[in-house]
Amino acid sequence: MTASGVRVRIAPSPTGEPHVGTAYIALFNYLFALKHGGEFILRIEDTDATRSTPEFEQKVLDALKWTGLKWSEGPDVGGPYGPYRQSDRKHIYGEYVEKIVAAGHGFRCFCTPERLEEMRAGQRAAGKQPKYDGRCLNLSAQEVTTRMAAGEPSVVRMKIPTEGACKFHDGVYGDVEIPWDSVDMQVLLKADGMPTYHMANVVDDYLMKITHVARGEEWLASVPKHILIYQYLGLEPPVFMHLSLMRNADKSKLSKRKNPTSISYYSALGYLPEALMNFLGLFFIQIAEGEEMMTMDELAQKFDPDNLSKAGAIFDVQKLDWLNGRWLREKLSPEEFIARVFEWASENARLTEGLKLAQSRIGKLGELPPLTGFLLASDVGLTPASFGGIKAPAAETLEVLEIVQTDLEKILEWNVETIEAELRAIAERTGKKLKVITAPLFVAMSGSSRSLPLFDSMALLGRSVVRQRLKVAAQVVKTIAAA
Ligand code: GLU
């Protein structure tokens, strides 16, 4: 335990490409720990077994390591309060759920998913916010025992006060009041025996001695449930701080449909982690006139968690570009610069694997840059002319690009085989020849119709770069279709 006793955490769920928002929250917690001489820890929240994958967990770890932030406890480094992956802690939560039920604060619910869906549909139709109607709230102990003994599936829900409001203090929002009647009787334990996010999150924050919970504002509405769980267990809640989400320039929520949001996208394009952290860290300090290029130490000195804005942090890519350019030009010696370039080009083996694919396709080494350059380029310079060799009408190409954009999102593990299978499935489903699907993709990925094998190229580029290239391609083809 550190002198201050301050312990903060980043608790990502490995259900997708690690988001820059995760780096933003992680950085806040990291700077907070630095400021207070506390500990910053990493916990993997994978209670959603259907959406969490080992590939994404690895990516979360890789992405956070890339940012340069260091955690003193986590699934990869261990620590005194481990394990730090919730799926490895399954055996821990039951006792806490039982305690809540035994004290009369929780109840078994036997409602089927179909019944719940019907109930919600009815509530929506009546213009009401869908929430559990309490059907199983007052089942007798006898009935619960009989139904459980008969093997009927059930979950545990928490009881919610029927009147009044939950009042709490948030480090960013100040005094908050949320009426209890807007809070759902949250499921704490799922039918498969796994805790929900809410239950596991509270138990783990308690067991890991977390003192301050700093996370995205989307969790503010969950605080009443969390406070109640702490109360039901007779525990003291931590201090809460809900940080405003990052937004696009038009103030909409930062989403991958508008801007690339994956950390891996920014690393693939050759942003320096120092520049990205510098950019994100500026949201946590009061900037008067003066230098905005700052190292982590400088950010830590100016870090001001007491004066955060609720307005939303605008993810201004131009500012990031400006800072990154300055970092590249001003902060690296020529030797460091060269070392960084090699490091970047070899990331995820894209250069070595790309060269292997290129070997059988060249007559001179000098042909390599045009053939493989797209694997490293930040932009392949698509214009309407790039699609000149595509025989299908532009409207059809656009349709193909849009279907591919949607369907690739469904791939859980991103590799040559899964990409090929998904594209073949699209061809089959749409009754189109595979070539009609792949031809525009060659152009979208590489800017040229003469390139490396498509599925391999897409695997090497990675999901987030592929996503962005498809988006740009669709924009360009739209202009052809509209002409
Ligand atoms: N697993 C949650 C997330 O990924 C963590 C929220 C929290 O920090 O409590 O957003």
Side-chain angles (χ1 to χ4, degrees), residues 256-257 397-412 414 418-419 422-423 425-426 429-430 437 441 445 458 463 466-471 474:
K256 60 189 173 204
R257 273 167 287 284
T397 302
L398 183 60
E399 187 199 331
V400 165
L401 289 170
E402 282 168 353
I403 296 174
V404 171
Q405 267 178 309
T406 312
D407 281 22
L408 287 184
E409 297 296 337
K410 296 183 203 147
I411 295 185
L412 277 183
W414 186 259
T418 52
I419 294 166
E422 197 62 53
L423 295 179
I426 294 175
R429 206 180 68 231
T430 55
I437 311 287
L441 296 184
M445 295 304 123
M458 292 171 76
R463 272 181 218 269
V466 167
R467 182 184 293 131
Q468 178 66 5
R469 288 200 184 166
L470 285 171
K471 196 168 90 182

Side-chain angles (χ1 to χ4, degrees), residues 415-428:
N415 59 43
V416 184
E417 290 76 33
T418 52
I419 294 166
E420 173 167 0
E422 197 62 53
L423 295 179
R424 284 189 186 278
I426 294 175
E428 189 135 321

Side-chain angles (χ1 to χ4, degrees), residues 251-311:
K251 300 275 166 74
S252 60
K253 186 177 152 196
L254 192 64
S255 83
K256 60 189 173 204
R257 273 167 287 284
K258 295 220 168 126
N259 262 327
T261 52
S262 302
I263 299 174
S264 62
Y265 175 82
Y266 293 93
S267 66
L269 258 62
Y271 287 86
L272 297 180
E274 292 91 333
L276 182 63
M277 292 297 106
N278 182 168
F279 170 71
L280 297 176
L282 294 179
F283 296 122
F284 308 137
I285 63 180
Q286 304 289 318
I287 320 176
E289 313 275 290
E291 181 56 283
E292 290 190 276
M293 183 165 57
M294 284 186 219
T295 61
M296 193 63 87
D297 286 345
E298 287 160 346
L299 285 173
Q301 269 163 29
K302 299 236 161 92
F303 179 65
D304 187 1
D306 300 326
N307 286 299
L308 295 176
S309 141
K310 278 181 281 187

